[in-house]
Structures are given as structure tokens and as C-alpha cells.
Amino acid sequence: MPASRRGSGSVTLLTGQTIAIHTRTQDEEDLPHATKKTMADHLRKYESLFTLTPQRMRMIVEAFTETLELGLNKPNQIVPMIPTFVFGWPTGEEKGDFLALDLGGTNLRVCLVTLQGEGKFEITQTKYRLTEDQKQDDGQKLFDFCAECLNTFVETNMGEGEGQLKPGQCLPLGFTFSYPCSQERIDHGELIRWTKGFGAGNTEGRDVAAMFKKSLEKFQLPIQLTALINDTTGTLIASHYVNPRTKIAVIFGTGCNAAYMEHVKDVPKIENLGIDPAAEMAINCEWGAFDSFEHEHLPRTKYDTIVDDTSNKPGEQAFEKLISGRYLGEILRLVLCELIDEGVLFLGQNTYKLERPYIFDTAFLSLMESDPTDELLMVIGIFTHFFALETTLAERQFFRALAKLIGRRAARLSACGIAAIVSKMGYLEEGCSVGADGSLYNKYPGFADRVHEGLQDIFGDKGRNIITHHAEDGSGVGSAIIAAMTKNRKDAGLYLHV
Ligand code: BGC
């Protein structure tokens, strides 16, 4: 009998779920396992596939910067660089009650935001879970659901008592719709394409603001859709509201994207709109689409190609598919499946649970990387509890190292995107703050440090001038501030046509 040590304990996952772990550690077990040497050899192979050298990063930044310029020059480019009609920064003195509706990737959120001036606010909110069916069903039904939730929220929170709506009062609403929409004006947005696995029918190519207004009419609510915004634009404005050094906002969550403030004179494609060239306007980059279809610039492995080919949108969101939380777990799972097929891993064990696409959550990568135990008890827990698979220490160390490679690549690519905006805008010398949000940024251990390290690899020491920080709630507070800014702008009669 090989030596074996047993123990039990429990861990709590990010989801709040607690799992019991029974450990047994031994080097040679009854099951045929890969040797330490085999795992080390494989790791070297993956290291070379997933590692980005500083030189390669600089090449990506150069191509990225050109792509950003192209999107500002001409309409309908792959990275669309969408003018948002959010003019300049908030003053911090925006005041009043605003509703915000946030349709992101996982939940639907309704918020009542009271802006109090001096950068202060209060927020009341409710979250509603979206089902997979709702994401794929008819688009109008999805907006009906949004309107219904809004109605429930208003009835619950503003029907009576202190927050009761006054007769004749009409609440401005900021709708955060975090998918690429080309906008002709701030309360309009034609959905270019669904991302993040959404696929609701009869929506692409249509004005989602008009669709939502139609749903809203059914409830006769005293609400006016004032602004349709992207989560990155909301994050940019909300972060600047509390930290005026913020010049760029990024989201690294289920999807990924960035927004920043641009000079109107540098957006040639909107020359015809009669906007003062000296004005400033936020641009929603939709950078997740960088390198889509042509796949010329990004280092894609065969696992990335499989993720892409088997997605509901092959060819699209090429940058996002290497970075965002929706895909990282799947990339790791595909590597494991390859090693299973090659007879390296889990010989003699039933691997059917691991063979299901998207079953390996990106949260598992976070958990594996943050496992503090020598034995890697968390990794044991994940594999036994979720996949009924036994692992040796050498295998677990390999899984953790693999998670690190995939997570690090995502962070370094993210740094390339940030660096492209920094270069384009000339922010390197003076430095700037980058408001960042999303599950990957907030929960993946070391993600921010790796982004900062990446920026230094690209720019040298000056890369330290660019600092990311956890952003203010863009989809709620940001959306409300933008609704307030828009209302103020329109009340002042400025650019009423957009
Ligand atoms: C969407 C963007 C969004 C990002 C982060 C991407 O998939 O295209 O509009 O900002 O996800 O939520």
C-alpha cells in the first residue's frame, strides 16, 4: 500500500456555496497517473503557447492604436469606436432622482439613484436573475421583462411614503445596455451584434431604445428614457465623478470593453453633426471586437480557435474571447480535454463531467490560483466535488500553473488595450487613472497587478504612470449621472438633435 494521509475540511466558493473536502494525498496511487516529469514537460509546451513577450505586446499595441484611429475616422469599422453623445465630464453638482436600468450579462438590475451634489449619491436597487431562455428568446419579450421589473420596482419603492412620486413628476431613466449599439443620438441605439452568449431574436440591427420604449408604454409609467448607455461609458463618468484623474474606463467581466473621453475634432466620422470641434465626447470603443474575422494580430492558440468556432458568434469578439470571464474557464477545460484524449490525464477515471462545454467556470481558475495550501486542497475540492476526478499533487500543480498562464495572458492582453488608448491620447507622461470593473478585475487574484506589470513591459518605467483602480458603479450611478447630464444639456438647449 502506498502511504496515504487523509483529512477533511470545507471551503466556501465565491458563489457562497460550501463544499466539503476529503483529502487523500499520495504520490503513487492505484489509478494510473501522469508522472511529475510528464506534467512538467507539458507545462513547458503551454508556457510557450500562452506567454506574451514584451516585444509581441508592443506589436499588438501598435496595431490596436491604428485600429482605434480607423474606427474614429470611418463608420462601420470592426472596432466601431462609438460616439456616445455624452459630452465632457460631470461637474459633480448633478442633482436629483434618477432611475437606472442595467442589462449586463447575468442579471437585470433596477436602481433609484439620488444624486446629492459634491460627488455624493444614495442608491436603492433590486436585482433580477435572467434565465438562459430569456437570453435566447425573442428580443421584444426580453424588453417586456425589463419593463415589468421596472414597474415592480417603482410600485415597491415609489408607490407610497417618502419616496412617493409627486403628481406630474416624470423620472429620467438611464438604460445601461452593455452590448455594441451604434447611436445616432443619446436615446437611440441600433444593436450591431449580441455578445457574451446572448442571442435574443429580432433584435440585431434594430433600435433597442425604441423596442424598450414600446415595452415601457404597456405600463404607463411616469418614466422617460433619457439616455441609452454602455457600461464602460457609465463607468468612465461615475469614476471621474469621484476621482477626477480618471481618463479611461475598462470592464473585465463576462465581456470586456473600454471607454474614454475624446476631442470631437478627432472624430472625423461625426464632422457633419454640427458639434463644436472643441467639445469633448465619450467614446465607447467596443474593443472586444479587435482582430475579429481576420485574426491578424492576436496570438491565438488552437484552444482559442475551438472556443471561437463553437461559439454562437464565430469570428466575432476575437479580443474578448482571449480575455473575458466567459471564456477563460473554457480555454482551460479544452487543454485538459486534449490531455485526456492523449491519455495523459485521468486514465481509468470517468471524465464525462469535464467534457461538457463551459462546465469549467472561470471562478475555478481564481480559486485554484488563490489556493493557499501546500497540498492544493482547493484544487482537490474542485476536481472531486464538481467532476468526480481524483488528482495527484503533480497534476494539481500543473492545473494551477495552467490557470496562471491563461489568467496572465488575459491580463497582459488587457494591458495592450489600455496602452493603445494611452498612446493614442498621449497620456503616458502626465499619467492617468483607469477606472476598472468586472468580475475578473475585482475577483481574479493578481489580475490588476498583472495588468500593471504588462503596462511596464510595454512602456518601461513610465508604465507606472498608468494606474487602474476599482471603479465606481458605472451601470447604476454612472447611468444616473449621464441621465442628469443629458437632461441638463437638453434643458439648456444644447445639441437637441443628438
Ligand atoms: C460588450 C460591451 C460591454 C462589455 C462589458 C462586451 O461583450 O460588447 O458593450 O461593454 O461586454 O460588459
Side-chain angles (χ1 to χ4, degrees):
M1 267 294 277
S4 156
R5 251 189 301 143
R6 282 168 192 279
S8 323
S10 67
V11 279
T12 307
L13 297 180
L14 293 176
T15 53
Q17 190 184 4
T18 302
I19 55 175
I21 291 176
H22 304 285
T23 56
R24 186 186 67 206
T25 58
Q26 53 193 45
D27 282 336
E28 303 154 82
E29 295 178 18
D30 307 342
L31 290 163
H33 279 284
T35 65
K36 224 172 174 170
K37 158 109 182 33
T38 317
M39 290 325 317
D41 288 347
H42 282 288
L43 189 59
R44 261 195 299 282
K45 182 176 85 197
Y46 296 114
E47 257 162 18
S48 70
L49 281 176
F50 285 104
T51 301
L52 274 176
T53 63
Q55 195 197 0
R56 185 72 205 263
M57 291 170 81
R58 281 184 222 116
M59 283 164 67
I60 295 173
V61 175
E62 209 182 302
F64 216 128
T65 314
E66 283 169 19
T67 308
L68 301 182
E69 295 279 7
L70 192 66
L72 293 173
N73 281 318
K74 297 189 189 156
N76 310 323
Q77 296 305 297
I78 291 198
V79 173
M81 302 297 280
I82 300 168
T84 61
F85 305 105
V86 173
F87 291 91
W89 301 111
T91 60
E93 286 316 306
E94 291 75 12
K95 284 189 188 147
D97 289 337
F98 298 88
L99 283 167
L101 181 70
D102 170 20
L103 185 67
T106 323
N107 297 307
L108 175 73
R109 191 163 59 117
V110 188
C111 319
L112 172 66
V113 185
T114 306
L115 300 175
Q116 297 161 324
E118 295 174 16
K120 293 194 201 115
F121 56 84
E122 260 178 16
I123 179 163
T124 313
Q125 56 180 335
T126 309
K127 274 188 186 175
Y128 305 85
R129 185 105 196 151
L130 286 171
T131 64
E132 268 317 301
D133 285 350
Q134 280 172 319
K135 295 180 191 171
Q136 310 302 336
D137 204 347
D138 180 70
Q140 194 66 55
K141 276 199 204 161
L142 181 63
F143 293 119
D144 282 352
F145 177 70
C146 294
E148 199 182 310
C149 293
L150 193 57
N151 185 46
T152 313
F153 181 87
V154 170
E155 273 176 3
T156 317
N157 294 287
M158 312 176 84
E160 52 194 32
E162 211 187 313
Q164 192 178 13
L165 282 172
K166 295 175 196 73
Q169 188 184 359
C170 184
L171 277 178
L173 168 77
F175 183 12
T176 309
F177 182 77
S178 304
Y179 305 88
C181 287
S182 57
Q183 296 192 272
E184 283 168 11
R185 34 173 220 283
I186 198 159
D187 58 353
H188 161 272
E190 202 175 293
L191 179 61
I192 302 173
R193 65 184 89 89
W194 283 117
T195 58
K196 301 182 273 203
F198 269 63
N202 304 318
T203 321
E204 287 181 340
R206 293 180 62 191
D207 176 7
V208 292
M211 288 177 79
F212 175 64
K213 277 187 200 160
K214 190 170 160 200
S215 298
L216 204 55
E217 273 164 19
K218 296 186 185 158
F219 295 94
Q220 298 285 311
L221 288 166
I223 290 173
Q224 188 182 12
L225 175 61
T226 307
L228 182 80
I229 71 155
N230 185 263
D231 51 358
T232 51
T233 317
T235 303
L236 180 69
I237 296 300
S239 291
H240 192 277
Y241 191 69
V242 291
N243 172 4
R245 263 181 69 78
T246 308
K247 297 240 164 59
I248 300 171
V250 285
I251 304 275
F252 301 118
T254 311
C256 84
N257 190 14
Y260 71 103
M261 196 58 78
E262 184 57 280
H263 312 288
V264 169
K265 68 172 174 34
D266 293 330
V267 194
K269 67 179 177 185
I270 55 167
E271 244 168 28
N272 58 339
L273 292 182
I275 299 166
D276 181 357
E280 287 190 305
M281 190 191 289
I283 298 290
N284 163 21
C285 303
E286 286 297 339
W287 77 12
F290 174 59
D291 208 29
S292 290
F293 307 110
E294 312 227 311
H295 306 306
E296 274 178 310
H297 304 296
L298 295 172
R300 296 204 313 160
T301 64
K302 63 175 158 181
Y303 319 101
D304 302 308
T305 312
I306 301 175
V307 165
D308 186 28
D309 290 347
T310 55
S311 72
N312 69 336
K313 300 278 182 173
E316 297 183 7
Q317 299 296 95
F319 188 55
E320 176 161 289
K321 282 175 179 155
L322 304 187
I323 293 180
S324 83
R326 179 168 168 79
Y327 304 102
L328 299 190
E330 179 62 2
I331 298 171
L332 188 136
R333 192 193 70 85
L334 288 167
V335 174
L336 297 189
C337 285
E338 177 180 74
L339 291 172
I340 293 171
D341 289 347
E342 287 174 4
V344 177
L345 284 177
F346 310 128
L347 268 182
Q349 300 192 62
N350 195 336
T351 52
Y352 76 101
K353 288 196 175 180
L354 196 57
E355 278 157 34
R356 229 176 91 196
Y358 288 91
I359 197 70
F360 206 90
D361 205 295
T362 298
F364 291 155
L365 274 69
S366 305
L367 288 167
M368 292 203 289
E369 279 215 51
S370 51
D371 191 335
T373 64
D374 290 344
E375 303 279 13
L376 298 182
L377 296 182
M378 178 63 84
V379 186
I380 298 184
I382 292 169
F383 278 85
T384 51
H385 181 81
F386 292 96
F387 306 106
L389 290 168
E390 290 212 8
T391 52
T392 60
L393 183 58
E395 287 166 347
R396 294 193 292 279
Q397 283 165 339
F398 168 80
F399 301 149
R400 170 148 75 175
L402 194 58
K404 188 167 169 188
L405 288 176
I406 294 170
R408 189 155 180 265
R409 183 185 69 160
R412 290 170 77 76
L413 285 170
S414 306
C416 293
I418 296 173
I421 298 181
V422 167
S423 300
K424 198 218 152 284
M425 297 306 288
Y427 289 150
L428 187 59
E429 298 295 329
E430 60 181 293
C432 74
S433 263
V434 179
D437 208 352
S439 47
L440 214 52
Y441 185 82
N442 297 332
K443 292 186 184 154
Y444 200 108
F447 190 85
D449 291 344
R450 289 171 181 167
V451 171
H452 293 147
E453 203 181 272
L455 285 164
Q456 284 168 46
D457 278 353
I458 296 167
F459 291 129
D461 261 1
K462 285 190 182 154
R464 289 179 203 273
N465 295 349
I466 314 301
I467 298 171
T468 68
H469 61 92
H470 173 64
E472 216 31 78
D473 166 20
S475 315
V477 178
S479 184
I481 302 170
I482 291 173
M485 290 167 72
T486 307
K487 189 172 174 298
N488 292 347
R489 163 167 73 86
K490 299 249 165 138
D491 288 351
L494 194 60
Y495 307 132
L496 294 176
H497 60 304
V498 292

